[in-house]
């Protein structure tokens, strides 16, 4: 029910931003010589470790973005209406 009142265009922009953040973190990790979860078989111990590390980096990236928005920096997700 809560989603009925959401702006569909804003939801698409949010999804595009989230996908861009996921890809950016993956690319940065690769450039740093780190592994990503998709480098390993799903469910393997290596996959689980890479997934944990990846999620820490992704969470850090979203936290930094949120902190920037709180400081009044531009939030590119909502710049187009």
């Amino acid at each position: 029910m809560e989603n009925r009142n959401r702006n569909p265009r804003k939801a698409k922009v949010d999804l595009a931003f989230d996908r861009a953040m996921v890809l950016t973190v993956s690319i940065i990790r690769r450039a740093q010589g780190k592994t990503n979860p998709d480098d390993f078989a799903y469910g393997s111990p290596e996959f689980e470790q890479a997934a944990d590390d990846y999620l820490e980096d992704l969470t850090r990236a979203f936290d930094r973005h949120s902190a920037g928005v709180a400081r009044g920096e531009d939030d590119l997700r909502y710049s187009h209406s």
Side-chain angles (χ1 to χ4, degrees):
M1 294 252 173
E2 185 177 318
N3 288 337
R4 283 187 183 176
N5 296 328
R6 284 201 65 171
N7 178 342
R9 183 177 174 142
K10 182 176 179 283
K12 287 181 183 178
V13 171
D14 286 347
L15 182 59
F17 177 84
D18 293 348
R19 287 181 178 167
M21 188 73 88
V22 165
L23 289 173
T24 300
V25 168
S26 295
I27 291 166
I28 290 170
R29 287 180 57 82
R30 180 84 56 222
Q32 293 173 335
K34 296 180 181 178
T35 59
N36 289 312
D38 59 353
D39 294 334
F40 303 103
Y42 180 80
S44 69
E46 296 86 1
F47 172 89
E48 297 296 331
Q49 183 60 51
D52 288 345
D53 292 344
Y54 177 85
L55 289 174
E56 285 179 22
D57 287 345
L58 187 61
T59 300
R60 191 175 309 113
F62 275 108
D63 287 347
R64 286 182 180 164
H65 173 76
S66 296
V69 171
R71 287 190 307 268
E73 296 172 4
D74 288 339
D75 183 359
L76 300 177
R77 291 182 295 174
Y78 308 117
S79 62
H80 299 90
S81 340

